[in-house]
Amino acid sequence: MSPTTAPPSGNASRPGADRPGFFFLACPDSKIVQGKVQELMKQYAPAEAGGGMLGASATGFDRRSYWAEEGLPPQFWEDLTLQSLTGRAKCIVVRHAEKLLAADWKALVPALAGFKEHAFPIFCLESAWQRNQPKPPAQLTKQKFWTLAQDRGWYWQSPGITRNKMAAVLEREARRRSVAFAPGALQFLAESLPLDAAAITAEMDKLAVAAQAVEGDGQGVIDTALARETAYAPDIDIFGFIQALQKGTASVAVWRQVFADRLGGEGMLFPLLSLLTREARLLWQIDAGETQGIRLPVSVMRAKESLARRLGRTRIAVLFDLAMEAEYGVKSGERKPEQALERLVAGMAALFADDNATGRGPTGPAQPRRGGPPRQRP
């Protein structure tokens, strides 16, 4: 739903009278929320905000930001009810408004009862969506001002960046930076980057600088090798995870909870799988003695060599199978991301179960997987 203004009132010639009395934004991506706030401030900025005690005229809003988890301080209520000494209108932004208490929503009823030229409140609902829909607080939906916002279009919602829109987002970001994608690079990044606007912006900045440095003429191309070399990786020690499972020094439940807390669903499952595949490829190369192209600190290299020897080629190959099965399960619709994550962790635990029970590796070949695409080796 796109934002619209309220119907013109009898005093529509007054600056700011054509803007909403207040506004609600519902989106789980904080960077997108901030961009929408800026858009609303520009769209509804008063042409002139003179007439204050200082007699000065000014354009635009004074922005005042508050965080709901910190509570609404006295200054918030002053900003909402009192005109500034400078005469400038204030855009009052409440971030993470879904964390306001029931008493806060109740206290806002009289404050939002009428249009205030000097104050434009914007409430940002930034919680994760459920079943592809925003989940506003129950106490908020009971208020008349919420119904008014819905009826008059003083409301905007977006699921953020979704996986099926990722390629289009990346192409737009590439055009802004005067770079292009080589075949294969766009698909790789669209599948591996997290569904987070801030992370995407940071990664595209990094890739654009690297691509333009290679070309030397400011018109860079992001190829697959560059995309993989600088690929985003979640803050997860996948090597430590494999080591812990192989040694039996950490419970599966603990690691499952770590992944669930840090990854948070489909947005980060694919980067994790990319990281697991890259680690498995390194272990495969080390086991095969192809280490000439691997650049790692000596201590890290020794640890990986030790793990590669203990795992052996058969179990390293199974790591590829497990990653592929998780990816196929989500993309085919057979499993939800959290179910794929659960099976991935359980599968890796089962892979090392013999080590933990007997101190030896598995004696037989890996079991063939059921369903999904055929196995591929690096």
Side-chain angles (χ1 to χ4, degrees):
M1 184 186 300
S2 59
T4 56
T5 60
S9 61
N11 53 8
S13 60
R14 189 180 65 206
D18 59 340
R19 68 161 170 81
F22 47 86
F23 213 96
F24 287 93
L25 305 178
C27 179
D29 192 307
S30 62
K31 185 173 180 61
I32 293 177
V33 166
Q34 293 178 60
K36 190 63 181 178
V37 169
Q38 292 293 334
E39 181 182 323
L40 289 172
M41 290 178 64
K42 181 178 180 181
Q43 180 178 356
Y44 295 115
E48 183 173 302
M53 286 184 64
L54 301 181
S57 63
T59 59
F61 288 104
D62 278 337
R63 177 170 176 168
R64 309 290 173 85
S65 295
Y66 297 92
W67 297 84
E69 51 264 59
E70 299 176 357
L72 297 178
Q75 184 62 48
F76 167 82
W77 299 103
E78 291 182 14
D79 286 339
L80 189 58
T81 57
L82 302 178
Q83 185 170 348
S84 169
L85 293 178
T86 65
R88 295 190 67 178
K90 293 163 288 190
C91 181
I92 305 169
V93 182
V94 180
R95 298 291 307 278
H96 296 169
E98 71 278 0
K99 297 182 180 180
L100 288 176
L101 302 177
D104 295 325
W105 293 120
K106 186 176 180 180
L108 281 164
V109 172
L112 301 180
F115 179 85
K116 293 179 174 58
E117 181 180 337
H118 68 271
F120 180 26
I122 300 177
F123 300 92
C124 306
L125 305 172
E126 302 174 58
S127 59
W129 285 25
Q130 299 179 13
R131 298 181 180 179
N132 297 321
Q133 291 294 329
K135 187 67 174 177
Q139 291 298 324
L140 167 61
T141 59
K142 296 177 182 178
Q143 306 302 329
K144 291 184 178 179
F145 55 75
W146 172 259
T147 303
L148 179 66
Q150 305 296 305
D151 292 343
R152 295 200 175 185
W154 298 351
Y155 174 81
W156 175 90
Q157 70 179 42
S158 169
I161 298 173
T162 57
R163 190 61 61 183
N164 62 350
K165 295 180 180 179
M166 179 67 87
V169 171
L170 291 173
E171 288 181 322
R172 183 183 69 234
E173 295 298 316
R175 287 194 296 270
R176 288 177 178 175
R177 294 164 175 80
S178 299
V179 295
F181 290 106
L186 177 61
Q187 180 180 357
F188 171 79
L189 291 170
E191 293 179 353
S192 62
L193 287 178
L195 303 177
D196 180 84
I200 291 170
T201 298
E203 289 302 301
M204 286 301 300
D205 285 343
K206 181 172 63 177
L207 286 166
V209 170
Q212 291 167 350
V214 170
E215 296 295 329
D217 57 1
Q219 298 295 321
V221 175
I222 301 172
D223 58 22
T224 304
L226 180 60
R228 290 183 181 276
E229 180 181 345
T230 62
Y232 176 89
D235 183 21
I236 291 291
D237 182 5
I238 196 70
F239 178 67
F241 169 47
I242 297 173
Q243 274 189 318
L245 287 181
Q246 197 274 332
K247 294 179 179 179
T249 56
S251 70
V252 174
V254 170
W255 277 103
R256 186 183 296 125
Q257 187 61 46
V258 168
F259 285 154
D261 289 345
R262 296 193 188 179
L263 302 183
E266 181 182 354
M268 294 295 287
L269 175 63
F270 290 116
L272 171 66
L273 296 179
S274 176
L275 197 60
L276 175 60
T277 303
R278 187 172 71 175
E279 189 65 34
R281 186 178 294 110
L282 276 174
L283 294 173
W284 181 280
Q285 289 178 273
I286 293 171
D287 182 71
E290 300 175 358
T291 60
Q292 61 275 13
I294 301 177
R295 298 288 183 267
L296 292 171
V298 175
S299 60
V300 176
M301 187 65 178
R302 288 175 179 170
K304 290 183 185 291
E305 288 174 342
S306 177
L307 180 59
R309 285 194 302 269
R310 292 197 304 269
L311 295 181
R313 191 166 301 185
T314 298
R315 287 193 291 180
I316 295 174
V318 175
L319 295 177
F320 291 101
D321 283 341
L322 292 171
M324 186 181 299
E325 184 175 14
E327 180 177 353
Y328 177 81
V330 174
K331 290 184 176 179
S332 66
E334 292 180 3
R335 299 186 185 96
K336 296 180 180 178
E338 57 269 23
Q339 293 172 327
L341 177 62
E342 181 100 2
R343 288 179 64 92
L344 174 66
V345 176
M348 293 181 69
L351 180 63
F352 302 120
D354 286 348
D355 283 10
N356 300 334
T358 66
R360 297 176 300 173
T363 57
Q367 294 296 317
R369 56 193 298 279
R370 292 177 291 177
R375 290 182 177 179
Q376 297 178 0
R377 292 290 179 255

